[in-house]
């Protein structure tokens, strides 16, 4: 995940906007042509900004740069403490402290008897179901996670046989994966990496293909969210896990086929973030073919991979490739009601909003974000792309649009009433 540290560090003299821009660009591993292309400007424009030959741009452009550079707080880019605004992280859920305490705990000795692994697995399944069905999914799983983490750890420690221990590790890995959904985009990057790495280790110990696939799927996303400098790491774990899973597919259950399909799409997603159009759509096509092998009403209980979600995935690919018209076309063709998960449905509305915004249709983008809020407020509240669109349009020259965006910023929790 991106660092929350100020790139300038403690200095007596304030660091200019252009210097900050250059340091953040280099930290993300972007060239000037790449940064310019991703923001709709030239490499020469970037060079002049960095050298101070151009003045600090207007807020919409600053927000666009912040999105591409994946800064977590606008002060990282502007240096102005009065513009303090977290972009790619929410303020921190009320239950974050409880979940962190459970992750940090190290139960070496206890009188508590671990529940049977089958019972624990049922609790985890119910937790995933609750997450997908609730508009306030972080609140729901935040309440469940402390007990699940403790019991899953104990199930591994108290296992008498090797097969029991492996089964316990599979459940523990899934609990940490659930925790990663809760922790993502909250202001504790170290905690996110702890749960991601523990999920990978427990999955390896379990030797369970599905657990391995899920942990790798989430680790891939964590690396990719770190920005272009981490895309190679995302690809390494993604492709390595696919090489492990693909030989198992002829005899695999639907869960393993689905997680393999989800990982296949992730390769395309990372390629789209790199601007590799052909590779991105080739992997999307392969993932769609895998989705078509699943029952028509199936959806994966963790990733939401299914036939229904492939339209939403197409919107994401088009958006990351900065193809506004194509992303709008895919958004219009996607049956959002067929996506079973409320958080995933909200995520699709946000991606559709990005597409409409890229296509020069800001009013439609704001309407999409309203739909996202209706589906799952806790998804949109922690989404940096949604925040960037709303705050940019709150600066619109059109009075009605500015009012709509400002009202939506309050509704979504980006600004105080």
């Amino acid at each position: 995940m991106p660092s929350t540290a100020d790139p300038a560090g403690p200095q007596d003299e304030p660091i200019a906007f252009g210097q900050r821009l250059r340091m953040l660009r280099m930290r993300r591993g972007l060239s000037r042509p790449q940064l310019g292309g991703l923001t709709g400007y030239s490499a020469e424009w970037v060079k002049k900004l960095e050298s101070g030959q151009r003045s600090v741009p207007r807020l919409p452009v600053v927000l666009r740069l912040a999105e591409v550079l994946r800064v977590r707080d606008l002060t990282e880019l502007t240096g102005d403490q009065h513009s303090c605004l977290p972009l790619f992280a929410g303020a921190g859920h009320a239950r974050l402290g409880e979940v962190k305490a459970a992750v940090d705990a190290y139960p070496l000795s206890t009188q508590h008897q671990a529940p049977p692994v089958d019972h624990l697995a049922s609790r985890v399944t119910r937790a995933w179901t609750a997450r997908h069905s609730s508009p306030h999914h972080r609140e729901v799983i935040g309440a469940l996670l402390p007990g699940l983490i403790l019991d899953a750890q104990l199930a591994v420690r108290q296992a008498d046989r090797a097969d029991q221990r492996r089964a316990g590790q599979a459940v523990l890995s899934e609990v940490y994966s659930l925790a990663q959904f809760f922790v993502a985009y909250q202001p504790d990057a170290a905690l996110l990496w702890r749960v991601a790495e523990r999920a990978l280790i427990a999955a390896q110990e379990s030797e369970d293909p599905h657990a391995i696939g899920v942990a790798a799927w989430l680790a891939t996303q964590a690396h990719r969210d770190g920005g272009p400098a981490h895309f190679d790491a995302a690809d390494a774990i993604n492709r390595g896990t696919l090489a492990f899973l693909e030989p198992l597919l002829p005899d695999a259950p639907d869960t393993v086929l689905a997680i393999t399909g989800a990982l296949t799409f992730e390769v395309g997603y990372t390629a789209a973030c790199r601007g590799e159009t052909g590779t991105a759509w080739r992997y999307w096509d392969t993932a769609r073919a895998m989705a078509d092998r699943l029952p028509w009403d199936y959806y994966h209980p963790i990733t939401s991979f299914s036939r229904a979600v492939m339209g939403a995935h197409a919107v994401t690919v088009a958006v990351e490739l900065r193809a506004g018209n194509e992303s709008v076309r895919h958004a219009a063709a996607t049956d959002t009601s067929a996506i079973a998960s409320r958080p995933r449905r909200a995520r699709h509305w946000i991606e559709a909003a990005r597409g409409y915004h890229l296509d020069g249709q800001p009013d439609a983008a704001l309407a999409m974000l309203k739909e996202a809020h209706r589906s799952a407020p806790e998804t949109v509240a922690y989404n940096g792309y949604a925040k960037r669109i709303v705050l940019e349009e709150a600066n619109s020259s059109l009075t009605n649009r500015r009012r709509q965006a400002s009202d939506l910023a309050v509704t979504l929790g980006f600004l105080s009433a």
Side-chain angles (χ1 to χ4, degrees):
M1 296 294 288
S3 168
T4 56
D6 186 328
Q11 301 283 343
D12 294 331
E13 295 295 326
I15 293 183
F17 176 86
Q19 292 173 293
R20 287 173 175 271
L21 178 63
R22 180 175 181 275
M23 286 187 285
L24 286 163
R25 173 178 63 78
M26 294 179 70
R27 191 176 78 183
R28 291 289 172 249
L30 291 171
S31 66
R32 283 173 176 159
Q34 286 173 323
L35 178 59
L38 288 169
T39 51
Y41 293 92
S42 67
E44 184 63 22
W45 177 84
V46 175
K47 181 179 178 180
K48 287 182 177 180
L49 267 185
E50 292 182 350
S51 65
Q53 293 176 267
R54 292 189 67 96
S55 59
V56 178
R58 295 174 63 247
L59 179 62
V61 180
V62 172
L63 288 168
R64 201 173 310 154
L65 287 165
E67 175 190 337
V68 173
L69 295 168
R70 298 291 290 176
V71 300
R72 296 179 70 84
D73 190 302
L74 206 56
T75 57
E76 286 189 70
L77 179 57
T78 65
D80 179 4
Q81 298 301 315
H82 294 93
S83 66
C84 181
L85 179 69
L87 287 174
F88 282 85
H93 194 276
R95 294 191 181 273
L96 181 60
E98 301 168 41
V99 174
K100 183 179 186 300
V103 173
D104 290 344
Y106 193 43
L108 287 174
S109 60
T110 179
Q111 300 301 314
H112 181 60
Q113 178 65 39
V117 171
D118 289 347
H119 172 74
L120 189 54
S122 296
R123 284 169 56 192
V124 176
T125 298
R126 290 195 298 272
W128 285 116
T129 301
R131 178 188 180 272
H132 288 300
S133 62
S134 174
H136 303 289
H137 47 90
R138 274 189 168 85
E139 174 62 27
V140 169
I141 63 173
L144 297 173
L145 276 168
L148 284 171
I149 291 169
L150 173 63
D151 286 346
Q153 289 174 333
L154 292 176
V156 172
R157 285 199 62 238
Q158 295 175 8
D160 293 326
R161 303 193 313 267
D163 60 332
Q164 290 178 338
R165 187 175 181 83
R166 285 194 299 270
Q169 291 280 20
V171 174
L172 179 59
S173 176
E174 196 168 325
V175 169
Y176 281 131
S177 293
L178 183 66
Q180 188 170 337
F181 273 91
F182 175 83
V183 174
Y185 306 114
Q186 296 204 55
D188 196 334
L191 180 61
L192 182 136
W193 278 112
R194 263 204 316 284
V195 297
E197 289 168 355
R198 289 186 188 183
L200 286 169
I201 293 168
Q204 274 192 321
E205 293 294 322
S206 77
E207 302 179 11
D208 180 272
H210 180 254
I212 290 169
V214 169
W217 181 77
L218 282 162
T220 294
Q221 294 185 21
H223 281 295
R224 187 174 57 235
D225 281 349
H230 302 274
F231 288 171
D232 286 348
D235 266 341
I237 191 167
N238 198 342
R239 293 175 184 270
T241 307
L242 282 173
F244 167 73
L245 291 174
E246 284 168 348
L248 308 177
L249 292 184
D251 301 313
D254 288 341
T255 52
V256 174
L257 173 59
I259 192 58
T260 307
L263 282 161
T264 300
F265 168 71
E266 292 298 319
V267 179
Y269 189 167
T270 305
C273 292
R274 283 192 169 105
E276 298 170 354
T277 303
T279 302
W281 287 115
R282 184 169 70 252
Y283 275 93
W284 180 87
D285 281 334
T286 304
R288 181 183 60 178
M290 298 176 79
D292 288 343
R293 291 167 56 185
L294 295 165
W296 70 270
D297 59 347
Y298 176 89
Y299 83 97
H300 187 256
I302 300 173
T303 68
S304 293
F305 187 80
S306 59
R307 297 185 185 194
V309 87
M310 291 311 301
H313 282 336
V315 175
T316 295
V317 169
V319 166
E320 293 298 340
L321 290 169
R322 317 299 287 181
N325 183 263
E326 189 169 8
S327 56
V328 166
R329 180 170 60 82
H330 284 295
T334 300
D335 180 7
T336 308
S337 65
I339 300 173
S341 167
R342 290 185 72 133
R344 186 60 187 86
R345 204 153 58 233
R347 162 79 187 283
H348 167 65
W349 286 121
I350 294 168
E351 295 293 274
R354 293 177 67 198
Y356 278 101
H357 206 248
L358 275 172
D359 199 45
Q361 302 185 55
D363 293 323
L366 294 174
M368 298 295 103
L369 293 179
K370 290 178 183 177
E371 291 295 333
H373 182 260
R374 290 189 189 101
S375 181
E378 285 194 346
T379 294
V380 70
Y382 288 83
N383 189 279
Y385 298 116
K387 186 178 295 185
R388 196 268 291 176
I389 291 169
V390 170
L391 295 180
E392 182 172 329
E393 295 312 320
N395 197 47
S396 170
S397 59
L398 299 179
T399 302
N400 187 51
R401 184 181 299 155
R402 187 168 65 245
R403 184 181 299 113
Q404 280 191 62
S406 298
D407 290 345
L408 188 55
V410 173
T411 300
L412 301 181
F414 300 153
L415 295 175
S416 300

